[in-house]
Each structure stands twice: as structure tokens, then as C-alpha cells.
Amino acid sequence: MQTDEIFFSTLTNSLSYGRRSAASFFTDRPVDYQLYPRNGEGVAQVPVTGYTSDTPLAEIELYRENQLAGVYSVKNHKRKGKNNFSVTIPIKAEPANYHFYYRFKGDTVRYTLARNVVAGDVFVIAGQSNSVASGNSVRKEECNPFFRTLGTIRKNETYLPGDTLWGIANSHGCSYGKPFFNGYSAHLLHSLVLEQQGVPSAIINMGVGGSTIEQNLPDKDHSLDPGTIYGSGLYRIRKAGLQQAVTSVIWLQGESNQSRGYHTYQENFHTLLQAWKRDFPNLQHIYMSQINTGCGESETASLLREEQRQIAMKYPELKMISNVDLPLRPDDCHYTREAHDTLWNRFYRLLAEDHYNVPGTWLTSPNILKVFYGDPGQTTLILEFDQPVVCPVEEGKEYLSQLFLDENKDPLRTERIEQAKDDPCRIILTLSSPATITHLTYGPDGFVKNDAGDPVRYGGPWIRNQNHIPALTFHRFEVTKE
């Protein structure tokens, strides 16, 4: 006998047995498909609290799958005229479901408290369409019982307050508003955590397609406003009881700010970051992408990417990777399935280093430190990065000459691009003729002209690090004479 009208509400979950004329009322208990965050020992503590109308002895049976894993006595203690009880039950973070049953001692009848409860890790994803990857649906049989979420992503409508059920996360098609829709991006992160760490995960995806950073900000007077993107996501996290467990946020956004709001992007991101820190007290890590070229970008697109590059240098808790090498779908905006696979493997390696103590080197994108002339005659430019880089090679690609732009955004006439022999962090550009370059831009705004003069998408090559992660693009970086 069990009711579940409102998640974790007081007095709505009661069990009774007529012969004893006793009833138990639960103020906190697990619910079906819930994930509890694990502690440093790989165990989650599941609280069961409430009070009884009488003083019967009771117990909770814990099953791991179909095997009895423990029996826990429920002891009452008088407080303010009530027979209160409280018991904490440990479960291991592993790909196994735990089931909780309640019974009065001596009775043959038992009552189901919750089934398919797990312990594991918690992550938050936010941003616009590529943070959801709603168009990259997976087959139904690829859903895994250890991928969990609460509620669903809603796009344009106010979040439903009653949508507070836990369930198995799915990524079927463009399914905003469908039960437990979590996106293909979350599916990939779930998969990597389970495959590599052997634990279930809960992901709350706050991403909404087409949204600007302004639309992702909390309402300054009511951060829980369910009619906002931020408020609906925070509502789900609170109802899931995961606020204290959020230590990482992955942010994938920017395409919608390429022609509007790029000049205030840093300021808005700071506002968003402060809201995350306020609402997720244990937040430690932010993972972010510098967006790919494309998605209807304008002449100010490189300015937006430069704003993101500046953010990468401003916050020590933030790690950034560039997406410029990821293949796009025919709409010239959204990533292919292969692109998402690459992207989330890169994100996971950052997570693994920070959360799972998996050692790694050069997991973020190289960032430019300085650009200067290498000779008095001004025929060579030296680019110095913050980590070893690999020089792009022509290899039959006709567009390499359009990779660098001068202060007028004209392609830089280069004769040769090569690695510096004495410093792996440097690349040397040999100019076709002496030139006075005051500012250098790396990365064209999506389209360049081919030999016939027709616009084509610039698809590389790119400067990369030793792990093949592309360098961050930069806009109008000052050239010095060292």
C-alpha cells in the first residue's frame, strides 16, 4: 500500500495494518528510480524518517536485485507527543538496483517503499541545442537502466510543478516535454561514467535549443521561476535533492549570441556563474566549449569566440576546449553524432582528471600567450601558446592560407607555416613579403572562398595540441616586436 502524489512531501506516504491499528507516516524516504549521491567511499546513505500512530516494532528489508542485503530495525522515540523514527541505510554505488520494503515485526505482509534505487554521481549540463543534441536520437534498446534523471526538459512552456518523478533517462529524437528526455549529450556522459567508472549517474540537463545566454540567466527576483530556463532546471535539481551534490556544470552555448549580445557575453557569464555558485554550494568545476564556426554566424562571430577565450583565462575553476574541428550536420549548425562522440570524450577526460583522479596531460585547448615578430625585417611572426602545439599541415587542403587574418580581417599572405625547432609551444609564420601586422586573428568566420571564388566552409587544418585538441581561436590579438 503506497501513494506517491508529491515527491518527498510530508504525510502523503503512509502504510497501515488493520489488526495492529497502526500506521507509519514517512517524512523522508526513497522513491522508485531515485539516485542518491555517493560519498568518497563509494557509498550513499539513504535516510528513512517519519513517525507512527502507535509504537509497533518495524523493520526495513533491503534487497540488492533479488537478494536480501540487510534488515534494519526501525526504532521509535518519543518527541513532542509523536513516535518518531529515523534510520539510515547504506547502498553501494554500482550497477545494481536496490529495493526497500517495510514491515511491522511479526507480520507476514510487507509494504514496498521504493524499487530500483541506485547510488552514483551527479552532473548538470546547460546551454543551447548542442548541449541537448536532441536530433541525434539513439535506439530505444540503448537506454540503460542506470542512467537516471528527474522530470524532463521543457522548451517553451512553464515547467509543470508536478513533474517530479525519477526515471530512466532517454534521448529519443527531439522529445522536449516527453517523460525523462535527457538528450544525446547526457546519454554519452552517462555511458562514459558507467563504462569507465562502473557507477550509475544522474544528469539534469538544463539545455534549451536556440537560447541565448541572456535567456539562461536566473530571474533576479525569483531564481526558481518555473517559466525560465534557469528556474525550471533549478526546480528539478532541488526536487531531486541534488543541490549539495552538484560539483560540475558543463556549459555549451554561444551560437545564438554571435550577432547579438556578444559584447556583454563575459558579463552575463559572470552573472550565470555566480548563480551556479550560490545555488550549488559544492560547485568546483566548470567545463565549457568555445563554439564552432557556423550556425548562421555574422561578421562578429569571431568576437563572440574571443569573449569565450577571455572567459577561459579569467576563472581558475573553468576548463575550455575548442569545437572548431567538430563536423557539422547539413544545417551548418548542429553537430553530427560523430562530433558529439568526440566532444563528450574530451569532456569526460577533463571530468576523469578532476573527479576520478585519472591522470591526463594537455586536456584543454591551447591558448595563445603572445604573437611577435621573429626578425627585424618583419618577415616572420612567432605564435607562442601555453602548451606544446602541433603545426597545421597543408596536406592538399587549399584553404590553409586563409587560417590567419590581419587587422583588416584580410587573409594573411603566408609562404610557410612551421613548428619552431627549439620550442614546442611556438609556431612560425613566414610571410610572403615584409609586412606591418598590428593585430592577428586566428580562425575565419566559417566561410572562405575557394579557387573559383565560391564561399565554402573552412574545415581545417587547425593548430592542435599533442592530444589532437584544437587551439582556441583568437580575434585581433596584438602583435609585438619583442
Side-chain angles (χ1 to χ4, degrees), residues 61-264:
E61 295 179 352
L62 176 69
Y63 277 75
R64 181 188 181 276
E65 300 296 353
N66 296 317
Q67 297 295 319
L68 183 65
V71 178
Y72 298 83
S73 295
V74 179
K75 298 179 181 179
N76 290 282
H77 57 279
K78 282 279 188 181
R79 185 182 179 188
K80 295 182 179 180
K82 290 183 179 180
N83 301 305
N84 297 285
F85 61 84
S86 177
V87 60
T88 301
I89 301 173
I91 61 173
K92 184 179 178 181
E94 59 179 338
N97 285 295
Y98 286 86
H99 316 298
F100 296 75
Y101 301 97
Y102 183 90
R103 76 164 77 235
F104 297 115
K105 286 189 176 180
D107 288 347
T108 58
V109 177
R110 72 178 186 184
Y111 305 90
T112 302
L113 276 180
R115 292 182 56 80
N116 303 306
V117 177
V118 296
D121 294 336
V122 176
F123 304 100
V124 170
I125 298 172
Q128 56 184 111
S129 56
N130 280 319
S131 71
V132 183
S134 59
N136 292 268
S137 60
V138 293
R139 297 188 304 274
K140 185 175 181 179
E141 59 267 25
E142 288 179 346
C143 283
N144 190 292
F146 300 109
F147 300 172
R148 303 294 171 88
T149 194
L150 182 139
T152 190
I153 308 170
R154 295 184 181 276
K155 189 168 185 179
N156 298 316
E157 64 272 28
T158 297
Y159 196 81
L160 300 177
D163 187 6
T164 55
L165 294 179
W166 280 91
I168 297 173
N170 72 76
S171 59
H172 302 329
C174 191
S175 303
Y176 287 101
K178 300 293 183 178
F180 313 119
F181 174 60
N182 214 205
Y184 185 57
S185 53
H187 174 85
L188 290 171
L189 183 54
H190 280 301
S191 300
L192 288 162
V193 171
L194 184 62
E195 292 167 5
Q196 301 297 320
Q197 301 301 321
V199 296
S201 55
I203 296 176
I204 302 297
N205 196 331
M206 299 167 68
V208 171
S211 60
T212 63
I213 192 171
E214 292 84 359
Q215 291 173 309
N216 280 274
L217 297 179
D219 184 286
K220 63 180 180 179
D221 298 319
H222 183 28
S223 61
L224 265 177
D225 182 353
T228 65
I229 295 172
Y230 188 94
S232 63
L234 180 59
Y235 177 82
R236 294 168 63 204
I237 291 166
R238 286 191 179 181
K239 287 299 180 180
L242 299 178
Q243 269 187 281
Q244 300 292 327
V246 177
T247 60
S248 296
V249 174
I250 301 100
W251 173 247
L252 276 163
Q253 194 278 333
E255 292 88 348
S256 290
N257 286 101
Q258 291 180 106
S259 59
R260 50 180 174 149
Y262 61 88
H263 56 291
T264 56

Side-chain angles (χ1 to χ4, degrees), residues 3 59 116 128 229 237 335 341 351 359 394 422 470:
T3 59
E59 59 190 16
N116 303 306
Q128 56 184 111
I229 295 172
I237 291 166
Y335 301 150
D341 292 344
L351 283 165
E394 180 72 26
D422 58 344

